[in-house]
Amino acid sequence: MNTRQVTMQGNPLNLTGNLISTGEKAPDFTVADNGLAPKTLNDFLGKKIVVSTVPSLDTPVCDMEVRKFNEMATDFGDDVVVLTVSMDLPFAQARWCGAADIKNVVTLSDYAGASFGEAY
């Protein structure tokens, strides 16, 4: 359990895992891509990585966030990859990306083991 105080609407929350500090090496994780293939941080070596996390793509705020990253990513260049990690099933992510015309963000699912959630 972390020792730093995290609150939601002023109420303390207990979190598992460890909070990351600025300058620390990003911890590895294993998530699933939209085809159920495992993906790790090492799969994106050589690129600058922007990571966004959302509970579910099928919520209004999360939908808006990923659409905005998709739009912004067109200006990032080929050396940058934008990853969005959610707990949605990979099939739901693929459906949502198709319906939202998301082409510049890689959606990854943490459904199988919460590896990303534990690491971050």
PDB file of all heavy atoms in Angstrom, residues 67-96:
ATOM      1  N   ARG A  67     -10.842  10.544 -27.666  1.00  0.00           N
ATOM      2  CA  ARG A  67     -11.034  11.243 -28.944  1.00  0.00           C
ATOM      3  C   ARG A  67     -10.072  12.435 -29.056  1.00  0.00           C
ATOM      4  O   ARG A  67      -9.526  12.700 -30.128  1.00  0.00           O
ATOM      5  CB  ARG A  67     -12.475  11.720 -29.083  1.00  0.00           C
ATOM      6  CG  ARG A  67     -13.462  10.600 -29.359  1.00  0.00           C
ATOM      7  CD  ARG A  67     -14.890  11.136 -29.391  1.00  0.00           C
ATOM      8  NE  ARG A  67     -15.869  10.082 -29.434  1.00  0.00           N
ATOM      9  CZ  ARG A  67     -16.442   9.626 -30.543  1.00  0.00           C
ATOM     10  NH1 ARG A  67     -16.122  10.150 -31.703  1.00  0.00           N
ATOM     11  NH2 ARG A  67     -17.335   8.660 -30.482  1.00  0.00           N
ATOM     12  N   LYS A  68      -9.865  13.153 -27.956  1.00  0.00           N
ATOM     13  CA  LYS A  68      -8.953  14.301 -27.967  1.00  0.00           C
ATOM     14  C   LYS A  68      -7.508  13.838 -28.182  1.00  0.00           C
ATOM     15  O   LYS A  68      -6.775  14.441 -28.977  1.00  0.00           O
ATOM     16  CB  LYS A  68      -9.073  15.099 -26.657  1.00  0.00           C
ATOM     17  CG  LYS A  68      -8.259  16.361 -26.649  1.00  0.00           C
ATOM     18  CD  LYS A  68      -8.749  17.344 -27.696  1.00  0.00           C
ATOM     19  CE  LYS A  68      -7.989  18.657 -27.623  1.00  0.00           C
ATOM     20  NZ  LYS A  68      -8.376  19.566 -28.694  1.00  0.00           N
ATOM     21  N   PHE A  69      -7.089  12.762 -27.496  1.00  0.00           N
ATOM     22  CA  PHE A  69      -5.744  12.225 -27.730  1.00  0.00           C
ATOM     23  C   PHE A  69      -5.594  11.759 -29.175  1.00  0.00           C
ATOM     24  O   PHE A  69      -4.544  11.944 -29.793  1.00  0.00           O
ATOM     25  CB  PHE A  69      -5.422  11.080 -26.768  1.00  0.00           C
ATOM     26  CG  PHE A  69      -4.793  11.535 -25.490  1.00  0.00           C
ATOM     27  CD1 PHE A  69      -5.461  11.386 -24.288  1.00  0.00           C
ATOM     28  CD2 PHE A  69      -3.532  12.105 -25.466  1.00  0.00           C
ATOM     29  CE1 PHE A  69      -4.894  11.802 -23.095  1.00  0.00           C
ATOM     30  CE2 PHE A  69      -2.946  12.528 -24.282  1.00  0.00           C
ATOM     31  CZ  PHE A  69      -3.633  12.372 -23.098  1.00  0.00           C
ATOM     32  N   ASN A  70      -6.618  11.153 -29.741  1.00  0.00           N
ATOM     33  CA  ASN A  70      -6.583  10.704 -31.125  1.00  0.00           C
ATOM     34  C   ASN A  70      -6.357  11.890 -32.066  1.00  0.00           C
ATOM     35  O   ASN A  70      -5.555  11.814 -32.993  1.00  0.00           O
ATOM     36  CB  ASN A  70      -7.883   9.980 -31.480  1.00  0.00           C
ATOM     37  CG  ASN A  70      -7.845   9.348 -32.841  1.00  0.00           C
ATOM     38  OD1 ASN A  70      -7.050   8.442 -33.092  1.00  0.00           O
ATOM     39  ND2 ASN A  70      -8.705   9.813 -33.726  1.00  0.00           N
ATOM     40  N   GLU A  71      -7.039  12.977 -31.789  1.00  0.00           N
ATOM     41  CA  GLU A  71      -6.885  14.197 -32.587  1.00  0.00           C
ATOM     42  C   GLU A  71      -5.488  14.788 -32.419  1.00  0.00           C
ATOM     43  O   GLU A  71      -4.823  15.144 -33.398  1.00  0.00           O
ATOM     44  CB  GLU A  71      -7.948  15.202 -32.128  1.00  0.00           C
ATOM     45  CG  GLU A  71      -7.921  16.528 -32.816  1.00  0.00           C
ATOM     46  CD  GLU A  71      -8.927  17.476 -32.182  1.00  0.00           C
ATOM     47  OE1 GLU A  71     -10.092  17.089 -31.981  1.00  0.00           O
ATOM     48  OE2 GLU A  71      -8.520  18.618 -31.864  1.00  0.00           O
ATOM     49  N   MET A  72      -5.017  14.889 -31.178  1.00  0.00           N
ATOM     50  CA  MET A  72      -3.707  15.476 -30.907  1.00  0.00           C
ATOM     51  C   MET A  72      -2.567  14.628 -31.472  1.00  0.00           C
ATOM     52  O   MET A  72      -1.536  15.162 -31.878  1.00  0.00           O
ATOM     53  CB  MET A  72      -3.519  15.643 -29.398  1.00  0.00           C
ATOM     54  CG  MET A  72      -4.424  16.674 -28.777  1.00  0.00           C
ATOM     55  SD  MET A  72      -4.427  16.647 -26.962  1.00  0.00           S
ATOM     56  CE  MET A  72      -2.698  16.817 -26.586  1.00  0.00           C
ATOM     57  N   ALA A  73      -2.749  13.318 -31.500  1.00  0.00           N
ATOM     58  CA  ALA A  73      -1.684  12.408 -31.928  1.00  0.00           C
ATOM     59  C   ALA A  73      -1.276  12.640 -33.381  1.00  0.00           C
ATOM     60  O   ALA A  73      -0.156  12.282 -33.763  1.00  0.00           O
ATOM     61  CB  ALA A  73      -2.113  10.961 -31.716  1.00  0.00           C
ATOM     62  N   THR A  74      -2.138  13.233 -34.175  1.00  0.00           N
ATOM     63  CA  THR A  74      -1.766  13.487 -35.567  1.00  0.00           C
ATOM     64  C   THR A  74      -0.589  14.447 -35.658  1.00  0.00           C
ATOM     65  O   THR A  74       0.122  14.454 -36.656  1.00  0.00           O
ATOM     66  CB  THR A  74      -2.965  14.048 -36.376  1.00  0.00           C
ATOM     67  OG1 THR A  74      -3.378  15.283 -35.785  1.00  0.00           O
ATOM     68  CG2 THR A  74      -4.117  13.067 -36.408  1.00  0.00           C
ATOM     69  N   ASP A  75      -0.361  15.245 -34.609  1.00  0.00           N
ATOM     70  CA  ASP A  75       0.744  16.211 -34.596  1.00  0.00           C
ATOM     71  C   ASP A  75       1.981  15.697 -33.874  1.00  0.00           C
ATOM     72  O   ASP A  75       2.995  16.387 -33.821  1.00  0.00           O
ATOM     73  CB  ASP A  75       0.293  17.515 -33.919  1.00  0.00           C
ATOM     74  CG  ASP A  75      -0.816  18.203 -34.687  1.00  0.00           C
ATOM     75  OD1 ASP A  75      -0.836  18.111 -35.931  1.00  0.00           O
ATOM     76  OD2 ASP A  75      -1.671  18.837 -34.036  1.00  0.00           O
ATOM     77  N   PHE A  76       1.920  14.504 -33.292  1.00  0.00           N
ATOM     78  CA  PHE A  76       3.019  14.012 -32.465  1.00  0.00           C
ATOM     79  C   PHE A  76       4.194  13.452 -33.258  1.00  0.00           C
ATOM     80  O   PHE A  76       5.294  13.394 -32.765  1.00  0.00           O
ATOM     81  CB  PHE A  76       2.530  12.938 -31.495  1.00  0.00           C
ATOM     82  CG  PHE A  76       1.678  13.460 -30.361  1.00  0.00           C
ATOM     83  CD1 PHE A  76       0.957  12.584 -29.588  1.00  0.00           C
ATOM     84  CD2 PHE A  76       1.605  14.813 -30.074  1.00  0.00           C
ATOM     85  CE1 PHE A  76       0.182  13.040 -28.536  1.00  0.00           C
ATOM     86  CE2 PHE A  76       0.819  15.283 -29.033  1.00  0.00           C
ATOM     87  CZ  PHE A  76       0.107  14.395 -28.264  1.00  0.00           C
ATOM     88  N   GLY A  77       3.986  12.973 -34.450  1.00  0.00           N
ATOM     89  CA  GLY A  77       5.068  12.385 -35.235  1.00  0.00           C
ATOM     90  C   GLY A  77       5.157  10.880 -35.053  1.00  0.00           C
ATOM     91  O   GLY A  77       4.548  10.297 -34.149  1.00  0.00           O
ATOM     92  N   ASP A  78       5.934  10.244 -35.929  1.00  0.00           N
ATOM     93  CA  ASP A  78       6.035   8.787 -35.949  1.00  0.00           C
ATOM     94  C   ASP A  78       6.801   8.199 -34.772  1.00  0.00           C
ATOM     95  O   ASP A  78       6.728   6.994 -34.529  1.00  0.00           O
ATOM     96  CB  ASP A  78       6.696   8.325 -37.248  1.00  0.00           C
ATOM     97  CG  ASP A  78       5.826   8.591 -38.460  1.00  0.00           C
ATOM     98  OD1 ASP A  78       4.593   8.741 -38.292  1.00  0.00           O
ATOM     99  OD2 ASP A  78       6.379   8.660 -39.578  1.00  0.00           O
ATOM    100  N   ASP A  79       7.564   9.028 -34.056  1.00  0.00           N
ATOM    101  CA  ASP A  79       8.340   8.505 -32.934  1.00  0.00           C
ATOM    102  C   ASP A  79       7.545   8.508 -31.621  1.00  0.00           C
ATOM    103  O   ASP A  79       8.082   8.188 -30.564  1.00  0.00           O
ATOM    104  CB  ASP A  79       9.645   9.282 -32.760  1.00  0.00           C
ATOM    105  CG  ASP A  79       9.426  10.751 -32.414  1.00  0.00           C
ATOM    106  OD1 ASP A  79       8.373  11.304 -32.793  1.00  0.00           O
ATOM    107  OD2 ASP A  79      10.310  11.341 -31.776  1.00  0.00           O
ATOM    108  N   VAL A  80       6.260   8.844 -31.693  1.00  0.00           N
ATOM    109  CA  VAL A  80       5.406   8.889 -30.508  1.00  0.00           C
ATOM    110  C   VAL A  80       4.236   7.923 -30.690  1.00  0.00           C
ATOM    111  O   VAL A  80       3.633   7.868 -31.754  1.00  0.00           O
ATOM    112  CB  VAL A  80       4.852  10.317 -30.273  1.00  0.00           C
ATOM    113  CG1 VAL A  80       3.910  10.350 -29.080  1.00  0.00           C
ATOM    114  CG2 VAL A  80       5.995  11.309 -30.093  1.00  0.00           C
ATOM    115  N   VAL A  81       3.946   7.165 -29.634  1.00  0.00           N
ATOM    116  CA  VAL A  81       2.773   6.293 -29.627  1.00  0.00           C
ATOM    117  C   VAL A  81       1.900   6.683 -28.437  1.00  0.00           C
ATOM    118  O   VAL A  81       2.409   6.964 -27.358  1.00  0.00           O
ATOM    119  CB  VAL A  81       3.164   4.797 -29.570  1.00  0.00           C
ATOM    120  CG1 VAL A  81       3.926   4.448 -28.312  1.00  0.00           C
ATOM    121  CG2 VAL A  81       1.943   3.894 -29.725  1.00  0.00           C
ATOM    122  N   VAL A  82       0.605   6.752 -28.672  1.00  0.00           N
ATOM    123  CA  VAL A  82      -0.349   7.066 -27.615  1.00  0.00           C
ATOM    124  C   VAL A  82      -1.071   5.781 -27.240  1.00  0.00           C
ATOM    125  O   VAL A  82      -1.701   5.151 -28.093  1.00  0.00           O
ATOM    126  CB  VAL A  82      -1.368   8.135 -28.052  1.00  0.00           C
ATOM    127  CG1 VAL A  82      -2.372   8.410 -26.932  1.00  0.00           C
ATOM    128  CG2 VAL A  82      -0.658   9.423 -28.465  1.00  0.00           C
ATOM    129  N   LEU A  83      -0.941   5.378 -25.985  1.00  0.00           N
ATOM    130  CA  LEU A  83      -1.598   4.180 -25.474  1.00  0.00           C
ATOM    131  C   LEU A  83      -2.724   4.608 -24.543  1.00  0.00           C
ATOM    132  O   LEU A  83      -2.524   5.483 -23.696  1.00  0.00           O
ATOM    133  CB  LEU A  83      -0.615   3.320 -24.682  1.00  0.00           C
ATOM    134  CG  LEU A  83       0.718   2.960 -25.338  1.00  0.00           C
ATOM    135  CD1 LEU A  83       1.579   2.157 -24.366  1.00  0.00           C
ATOM    136  CD2 LEU A  83       0.479   2.190 -26.622  1.00  0.00           C
ATOM    137  N   THR A  84      -3.864   3.984 -24.679  1.00  0.00           N
ATOM    138  CA  THR A  84      -4.942   4.176 -23.713  1.00  0.00           C
ATOM    139  C   THR A  84      -5.256   2.817 -23.121  1.00  0.00           C
ATOM    140  O   THR A  84      -5.577   1.869 -23.844  1.00  0.00           O
ATOM    141  CB  THR A  84      -6.194   4.781 -24.360  1.00  0.00           C
ATOM    142  OG1 THR A  84      -5.899   6.113 -24.779  1.00  0.00           O
ATOM    143  CG2 THR A  84      -7.356   4.828 -23.364  1.00  0.00           C
ATOM    144  N   VAL A  85      -5.135   2.725 -21.815  1.00  0.00           N
ATOM    145  CA  VAL A  85      -5.375   1.476 -21.095  1.00  0.00           C
ATOM    146  C   VAL A  85      -6.687   1.599 -20.332  1.00  0.00           C
ATOM    147  O   VAL A  85      -6.907   2.578 -19.628  1.00  0.00           O
ATOM    148  CB  VAL A  85      -4.226   1.165 -20.111  1.00  0.00           C
ATOM    149  CG1 VAL A  85      -4.470  -0.140 -19.380  1.00  0.00           C
ATOM    150  CG2 VAL A  85      -2.885   1.140 -20.841  1.00  0.00           C
ATOM    151  N   SER A  86      -7.537   0.591 -20.512  1.00  0.00           N
ATOM    152  CA  SER A  86      -8.803   0.551 -19.766  1.00  0.00           C
ATOM    153  C   SER A  86      -9.063  -0.880 -19.314  1.00  0.00           C
ATOM    154  O   SER A  86      -8.355  -1.806 -19.692  1.00  0.00           O
ATOM    155  CB  SER A  86      -9.962   1.049 -20.631  1.00  0.00           C
ATOM    156  OG  SER A  86     -10.396   0.058 -21.538  1.00  0.00           O
ATOM    157  N   MET A  87     -10.104  -1.036 -18.532  1.00  0.00           N
ATOM    158  CA  MET A  87     -10.521  -2.367 -18.090  1.00  0.00           C
ATOM    159  C   MET A  87     -11.551  -2.980 -19.033  1.00  0.00           C
ATOM    160  O   MET A  87     -12.029  -4.084 -18.806  1.00  0.00           O
ATOM    161  CB  MET A  87     -11.093  -2.311 -16.666  1.00  0.00           C
ATOM    162  CG  MET A  87     -10.048  -2.025 -15.611  1.00  0.00           C
ATOM    163  SD  MET A  87      -8.746  -3.260 -15.512  1.00  0.00           S
ATOM    164  CE  MET A  87      -9.579  -4.554 -14.600  1.00  0.00           C
ATOM    165  N   ASP A  88     -11.887  -2.276 -20.109  1.00  0.00           N
ATOM    166  CA  ASP A  88     -12.816  -2.821 -21.093  1.00  0.00           C
ATOM    167  C   ASP A  88     -12.237  -4.083 -21.717  1.00  0.00           C
ATOM    168  O   ASP A  88     -11.011  -4.206 -21.875  1.00  0.00           O
ATOM    169  CB  ASP A  88     -13.057  -1.815 -22.224  1.00  0.00           C
ATOM    170  CG  ASP A  88     -13.736  -0.548 -21.767  1.00  0.00           C
ATOM    171  OD1 ASP A  88     -14.814  -0.642 -21.167  1.00  0.00           O
ATOM    172  OD2 ASP A  88     -13.178   0.536 -22.032  1.00  0.00           O
ATOM    173  N   LEU A  89     -13.087  -5.007 -22.092  1.00  0.00           N
ATOM    174  CA  LEU A  89     -12.630  -6.180 -22.826  1.00  0.00           C
ATOM    175  C   LEU A  89     -12.081  -5.743 -24.177  1.00  0.00           C
ATOM    176  O   LEU A  89     -12.557  -4.760 -24.762  1.00  0.00           O
ATOM    177  CB  LEU A  89     -13.768  -7.173 -23.020  1.00  0.00           C
ATOM    178  CG  LEU A  89     -14.294  -7.828 -21.747  1.00  0.00           C
ATOM    179  CD1 LEU A  89     -15.516  -8.697 -22.073  1.00  0.00           C
ATOM    180  CD2 LEU A  89     -13.218  -8.659 -21.079  1.00  0.00           C
ATOM    181  N   PRO A  90     -11.085  -6.443 -24.710  1.00  0.00           N
ATOM    182  CA  PRO A  90     -10.512  -6.065 -26.002  1.00  0.00           C
ATOM    183  C   PRO A  90     -11.555  -5.955 -27.121  1.00  0.00           C
ATOM    184  O   PRO A  90     -11.462  -5.080 -27.974  1.00  0.00           O
ATOM    185  CB  PRO A  90      -9.516  -7.188 -26.288  1.00  0.00           C
ATOM    186  CG  PRO A  90      -9.103  -7.657 -24.929  1.00  0.00           C
ATOM    187  CD  PRO A  90     -10.348  -7.564 -24.097  1.00  0.00           C
ATOM    188  N   PHE A  91     -12.563  -6.823 -27.096  1.00  0.00           N
ATOM    189  CA  PHE A  91     -13.602  -6.777 -28.123  1.00  0.00           C
ATOM    190  C   PHE A  91     -14.409  -5.481 -28.031  1.00  0.00           C
ATOM    191  O   PHE A  91     -14.777  -4.888 -29.037  1.00  0.00           O
ATOM    192  CB  PHE A  91     -14.534  -7.976 -28.001  1.00  0.00           C
ATOM    193  CG  PHE A  91     -13.784  -9.278 -27.966  1.00  0.00           C
ATOM    194  CD1 PHE A  91     -13.757 -10.043 -26.814  1.00  0.00           C
ATOM    195  CD2 PHE A  91     -13.079  -9.726 -29.073  1.00  0.00           C
ATOM    196  CE1 PHE A  91     -13.051 -11.234 -26.773  1.00  0.00           C
ATOM    197  CE2 PHE A  91     -12.376 -10.918 -29.045  1.00  0.00           C
ATOM    198  CZ  PHE A  91     -12.356 -11.675 -27.899  1.00  0.00           C
ATOM    199  N   ALA A  92     -14.671  -5.032 -26.805  1.00  0.00           N
ATOM    200  CA  ALA A  92     -15.393  -3.776 -26.608  1.00  0.00           C
ATOM    201  C   ALA A  92     -14.533  -2.597 -27.061  1.00  0.00           C
ATOM    202  O   ALA A  92     -15.037  -1.643 -27.653  1.00  0.00           O
ATOM    203  CB  ALA A  92     -15.803  -3.612 -25.146  1.00  0.00           C
ATOM    204  N   GLN A  93     -13.238  -2.670 -26.795  1.00  0.00           N
ATOM    205  CA  GLN A  93     -12.345  -1.607 -27.250  1.00  0.00           C
ATOM    206  C   GLN A  93     -12.338  -1.522 -28.770  1.00  0.00           C
ATOM    207  O   GLN A  93     -12.419  -0.431 -29.336  1.00  0.00           O
ATOM    208  CB  GLN A  93     -10.924  -1.850 -26.742  1.00  0.00           C
ATOM    209  CG  GLN A  93     -10.756  -1.642 -25.269  1.00  0.00           C
ATOM    210  CD  GLN A  93      -9.329  -1.882 -24.809  1.00  0.00           C
ATOM    211  OE1 GLN A  93      -8.554  -2.591 -25.454  1.00  0.00           O
ATOM    212  NE2 GLN A  93      -8.970  -1.285 -23.686  1.00  0.00           N
ATOM    213  N   ALA A  94     -12.236  -2.665 -29.435  1.00  0.00           N
ATOM    214  CA  ALA A  94     -12.216  -2.683 -30.901  1.00  0.00           C
ATOM    215  C   ALA A  94     -13.520  -2.114 -31.461  1.00  0.00           C
ATOM    216  O   ALA A  94     -13.504  -1.337 -32.425  1.00  0.00           O
ATOM    217  CB  ALA A  94     -11.985  -4.103 -31.408  1.00  0.00           C
ATOM    218  N   ARG A  95     -14.646  -2.495 -30.856  1.00  0.00           N
ATOM    219  CA  ARG A  95     -15.945  -1.984 -31.299  1.00  0.00           C
ATOM    220  C   ARG A  95     -15.991  -0.465 -31.140  1.00  0.00           C
ATOM    221  O   ARG A  95     -16.374   0.268 -32.050  1.00  0.00           O
ATOM    222  CB  ARG A  95     -17.081  -2.621 -30.498  1.00  0.00           C
ATOM    223  CG  ARG A  95     -18.458  -2.017 -30.800  1.00  0.00           C
ATOM    224  CD  ARG A  95     -19.484  -2.276 -29.714  1.00  0.00           C
ATOM    225  NE  ARG A  95     -19.051  -2.098 -28.352  1.00  0.00           N
ATOM    226  CZ  ARG A  95     -18.943  -0.923 -27.719  1.00  0.00           C
ATOM    227  NH1 ARG A  95     -19.200   0.206 -28.340  1.00  0.00           N
ATOM    228  NH2 ARG A  95     -18.570  -0.865 -26.457  1.00  0.00           N
ATOM    229  N   TRP A  96     -15.566   0.017 -29.958  1.00  0.00           N
ATOM    230  CA  TRP A  96     -15.599   1.445 -29.688  1.00  0.00           C
ATOM    231  C   TRP A  96     -14.684   2.206 -30.648  1.00  0.00           C
ATOM    232  O   TRP A  96     -15.067   3.240 -31.192  1.00  0.00           O
ATOM    233  CB  TRP A  96     -15.209   1.721 -28.230  1.00  0.00           C
ATOM    234  CG  TRP A  96     -15.286   3.171 -27.901  1.00  0.00           C
ATOM    235  CD1 TRP A  96     -16.385   3.862 -27.474  1.00  0.00           C
ATOM    236  CD2 TRP A  96     -14.233   4.123 -28.017  1.00  0.00           C
ATOM    237  NE1 TRP A  96     -16.064   5.190 -27.313  1.00  0.00           N
ATOM    238  CE2 TRP A  96     -14.759   5.380 -27.641  1.00  0.00           C
ATOM    239  CE3 TRP A  96     -12.889   4.042 -28.399  1.00  0.00           C
ATOM    240  CZ2 TRP A  96     -13.997   6.537 -27.638  1.00  0.00           C
ATOM    241  CZ3 TRP A  96     -12.121   5.200 -28.396  1.00  0.00           C
ATOM    242  CH2 TRP A  96     -12.672   6.427 -28.022  1.00  0.00           C
TER     243      TRP A  96
END
